């Protein structure tokens, strides 16, 4: 999901957390010392939905231990 005007459905919002759990599980199994960073947020929505959906899914899958860090960055806009 990389378009700020796109309507985010629950199904779309869960695609990345599902991929993350599957992929991070493989990485952790192959390299237990790997430092795994999730997301790549350009902004955090005021309602926190993107981050909440991600973390809630990891918690429900008992997979929070797969996440060592969260990546985010901002943009500066001329107003």
């Amino acid at each position: 999901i990389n378009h700020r005007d796109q309507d985010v459905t629950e199904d779309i919002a869960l695609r990345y957390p599902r991929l993350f759990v599957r992929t991070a599980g493989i990485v952790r199994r192959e390299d237990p010392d790997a430092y795994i960073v999730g997301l790549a947020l350009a902004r955090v929505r005021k309602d926190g939905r993107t981050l909440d959906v991600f973390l809630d899914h990891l918690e429900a899958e008992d997979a929070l231990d797969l996440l060592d860090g969260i990546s985010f960055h901002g943009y500066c806009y001329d107003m």
Side-chain angles (χ1 to χ4, degrees):
I1 304 169
N2 195 26
H3 194 279
R4 65 178 168 212
D5 297 326
Q6 180 178 7
D7 289 331
V8 178
T9 66
E10 202 63 30
D11 180 57
I12 291 173
L14 285 173
R15 287 182 191 172
Y16 177 71
R18 289 178 185 143
L19 175 65
F20 177 86
V21 168
R22 185 173 63 240
T23 305
I26 293 167
V27 170
R28 185 72 78 213
R29 184 175 65 242
E30 294 297 318
D31 183 357
D33 296 325
Y35 190 84
I36 302 174
V37 177
L39 299 168
L41 299 172
R43 64 186 173 107
V44 176
R45 293 168 48 132
K46 288 180 184 176
D47 64 8
R49 184 163 180 243
T50 303
L51 185 58
D52 288 348
V53 168
F54 180 76
L55 294 176
D56 288 349
H57 182 77
L58 266 61
E59 184 176 32
E61 294 291 321
D62 194 28
L64 285 169
D65 62 326
L66 295 174
L67 180 65
D68 295 310
I70 295 175
S71 171
F72 67 94
H73 65 278
Y75 291 102
C76 293
Y77 297 99
D78 291 333
M79 310 235 28

